[in-house]
Amino acid sequence: MAENKVFKIGRLRLIDDFPIALHTSFVTKSTFPEIEKDGPDMTSMFQYYRQRGFVEFGFSRSTLNAIFPTLFERDILQCSSSIPLLQVGSLCRDKRSNQVLEHTVIIYRSDCFTYVI
């Protein structure tokens, strides 16, 4: 079985310099051969995909978990251990080929958003 490197790309979302969410994307080198070189300068995953010919996206069913922050998450999101976080995970696919482009995990501070269901 051939090995396929998986890269983890994180983006911290800020509002007025205040951290509100942590987006983490997991992408494979076989899908994006230049990801190791391109990764440090990326600000938008969807823009990156579009530049590589993937223009229509589909998403799998998402999972939603209420979690309490780890030490790392408390540090990066500047919150206490008593602030619950909402964790959303999903797969993003290219609609034409159904190829998985990324597995995404987004962690939101629950005290910074209003959710309409």
Side-chain angles (χ1 to χ4, degrees):
M1 183 173 169
E3 280 190 30
N4 190 9
K5 276 189 171 181
V6 176
F7 289 84
K8 179 180 178 180
I9 300 167
R11 282 104 46 226
L12 184 62
R13 300 297 183 202
L14 306 170
I15 292 183
D16 296 330
D17 294 322
F18 184 76
I20 59 162
L22 178 61
H23 292 232
T24 306
S25 298
F26 299 89
V27 297
T28 60
K29 186 169 181 146
S30 63
T31 304
F32 300 102
E34 301 295 316
I35 194 69
E36 194 166 7
K37 176 181 69 72
D38 298 338
D41 298 320
M42 292 170 49
T43 56
S44 168
M45 295 304 292
F46 293 134
Q47 179 182 349
Y48 184 76
Y49 300 153
R50 285 184 189 101
Q51 291 169 346
R52 276 136 193 88
F54 300 106
V55 294
E56 280 192 83
F57 309 112
F59 298 90
S60 67
R61 182 177 301 169
S62 296
T63 58
L64 173 68
N65 295 301
I67 62 173
F68 286 99
T70 64
L71 187 58
F72 171 76
E73 292 158 349
R74 289 192 312 254
D75 184 48
I76 201 153
L77 293 172
Q78 299 176 15
C79 65
S80 72
S81 61
S82 62
I83 300 288
L85 305 176
L86 291 177
Q87 179 186 62
V88 179
S90 64
L91 293 178
C92 175
R93 297 179 181 274
D94 172 49
K95 273 195 174 178
R96 276 189 252 151
S97 66
N98 203 35
Q99 178 180 5
V100 172
L101 301 177
E102 72 175 355
H103 173 221
T104 304
V105 177
I106 305 171
I107 298 174
Y108 299 97
R109 285 186 56 142
S110 65
D111 60 341
C112 294
F113 294 89
T114 299
Y115 300 90
V116 177
I117 298 175

